[in-house]
Amino acid sequence: MLVLNCSTKLLILEKMLKSCFPESLKVYGAVMNINRGNPFQKEVVLDSWPDFKAVITRRQREAETDNLDHYTNAYAVFYKDVRAYRQLLEECDVFNWDQVFQIQGLQSELYDVSKAVANSKQLNVKLTSFKAVHFPPVSTLPDTSFLKGPSPRLTYLSVADADLLNRTWSRGGNEQCLRYIANLIACFPSVCVRDEKGNLVSWSITDQFATMCHGYTLPEHRRKGYSRLVALTLARKLQSRGFPSQGTVLDDNTASITLLKSLHAEFLPCRFHRLILTPATFSGLPHL
C-alpha cells in the first residue's frame, strides 16, 4: 500500500485517470477535489506508483469521523487488475472495518470481490446498483422560456437548507445524513430554484466524488420545468470548473430517466455500484 500525498504526483494521477473513463469517473472526481483544496479531507491509496493497478480514495485517517456515518466514510475504487484491488482490501490498514462505510465504483467485479472479503470479517454488505450518466457540454445558460408558472429565482443552496434536503432524500432522514448534506452544500457546487418568498422549490447538489445527486422538486411544483433548469445549470457550473458532469439514476426512476433522455445525457456502458458495509456491532440500526 502507498499513500500518495505529493501534489505533483496527484496532478499526474488526475490526468492518468482521465484516460480511463468512464470506469474511473468516481475516483477521478474525488482526486480532482483533492487537487483543488481537498475540502472533504480525502487521500489516495494505491498498490504502486506510477504503474498502479488499483487506486482508492478514502477519508484521511486524521479527519474527525463518526463510525455510523457511511455517507462521509466513503471509498471510491478504480482498478486495472481486480486482484490488486483485492490485495488492498485484504491489507489491514487500507479500510476501517470497525465502522459503517460505503464503497463506490463503476466496475462489475466490485461487489463480488468486496463482499467476499467483507464476509470473512463478518460485515453485512448491501448493494444498490444504478444507471450511470454523463451530460454533454452545456455551452450556454439554460433557456427559461420553457418554464411554466411564475419566473423562478435561480440561485444556490445554503447550509440552512440542509434539513429540508435531509427530509426529502430517500437515503436521508437521520442525523448523519443531515450533517453530510450540510457539508456537501458548504464544500461543493449546488443549484436551486426559490419562489418569490425565498422558499425552496427544486434543487440538486454535488457530492464528494463530483457527482450530481439529490435532484428533487417538491411535489406541488412538478411538471413546470424546474428539474430541467436545475440539472442543466448545475452541469454547466461543473463543466465551467473543469469537472465532469456525471450522475446516477435508479432503473425504476422512470421520471428521471425520461428527463435525462430529453437532456441528451449519455447513459454509460458501465453501471454505478454503491456498497454499504456494516459490522455486526451496528447491524439492525434503522437508517442502515
Side-chain angles (χ1 to χ4, degrees), residues 153 155 161 164 192-203 218 220-221:
R153 182 164 67 92
T155 182
D161 298 315
L164 177 58
C192 69
V193 173
R194 299 183 188 273
D195 64 17
E196 62 275 7
K197 296 180 180 179
N199 298 316
L200 278 179
V201 168
S202 182
W203 61 83
L218 294 177
E220 62 269 28
H221 294 286

Side-chain angles (χ1 to χ4, degrees), residues 153-166:
R153 182 164 67 92
L154 193 62
T155 182
Y156 51 85
L157 293 163
S158 75
V159 172
D161 298 315
D163 182 64
L164 177 58
L165 270 68
N166 182 40

Side-chain angles (χ1 to χ4, degrees), residues 26 104-106 128-132 248 270-274:
K26 295 297 172 183
Q104 297 192 4
L106 291 155
T128 310
S129 183
F130 304 73
K131 294 179 184 294
T248 61
C270 51
R271 292 182 63 81
F272 167 60
H273 307 287
R274 185 183 70 229

Side-chain angles (χ1 to χ4, degrees), residues 54-245:
V55 55
I56 297 168
T57 63
R58 68 181 185 186
R59 185 88 162 160
Q60 290 175 337
R61 288 303 165 90
E62 61 270 24
E64 184 178 347
T65 186
D66 174 351
N67 284 337
L68 294 179
D69 183 5
H70 66 79
Y71 307 94
T72 304
N73 304 331
Y75 300 72
V77 173
F78 170 69
Y79 51 80
K80 298 176 181 178
D81 185 337
V82 69
R83 294 169 296 182
Y85 168 55
R86 178 159 189 147
Q87 289 175 354
L88 287 175
L89 271 173
E90 292 173 338
E91 288 194 29
C92 62
D93 55 350
V94 176
F95 291 81
N96 184 348
W97 299 97
D98 296 323
Q99 62 181 196
V100 186
F101 65 96
Q102 63 174 288
I103 299 174
Q104 297 192 4
L106 291 155
Q107 291 169 283
S108 58
E109 303 100 334
L110 183 69
Y111 173 66
D112 289 338
V113 173
S114 302
K115 181 175 173 58
V117 177
N119 285 350
S120 72
K121 299 177 181 292
Q122 286 77 53
L123 276 79
N124 177 64
V125 182
K126 178 183 177 182
L127 168 69
T128 310
S129 183
F130 304 73
K131 294 179 184 294
V133 300
H134 185 265
F135 284 82
V138 181
S139 58
T140 59
L141 285 173
D143 180 11
T144 59
S145 63
F146 62 81
L147 291 172
K148 301 173 183 177
S151 296
R153 182 164 67 92
L154 193 62
T155 182
Y156 51 85
L157 293 163
S158 75
V159 172
D161 298 315
D163 182 64
L164 177 58
L165 270 68
N166 182 40
R167 287 186 279 115
T168 52
W169 202 3
S170 59
R171 296 179 55 204
N174 58 75
E175 175 188 345
Q176 288 78 19
C177 188
L178 175 62
R179 184 171 60 241
Y180 173 67
I181 290 173
N183 287 337
L184 292 184
I185 292 171
C187 294
F188 304 121
S190 65
V191 171
C192 69
V193 173
R194 299 183 188 273
D195 64 17
E196 62 275 7
K197 296 180 180 179
N199 298 316
L200 278 179
V201 168
S202 182
W203 61 83
S204 185
I205 57 179
T206 311
D207 73 8
Q208 56 193 306
F209 306 108
T211 304
M212 298 165 61
C213 64
H214 194 8
Y216 190 87
T217 300
L218 294 177
E220 62 269 28
H221 294 286
R222 291 176 183 168
R223 304 187 67 83
K224 297 178 181 178
Y226 294 144
S227 293
R228 180 185 185 89
L229 176 62
V230 166
L232 286 173
T233 305
L234 183 55
R236 186 176 188 272
K237 181 181 286 190
L238 288 168
Q239 292 169 9
S240 71
R241 300 183 182 190
F243 284 85
S245 46

Side-chain angles (χ1 to χ4, degrees), residues 264-281:
H264 307 292
E266 176 190 3
F267 286 80
L268 301 176
C270 51
R271 292 182 63 81
F272 167 60
H273 307 287
R274 185 183 70 229
L275 288 58
I276 298 178
L277 297 89
T278 306
T281 310

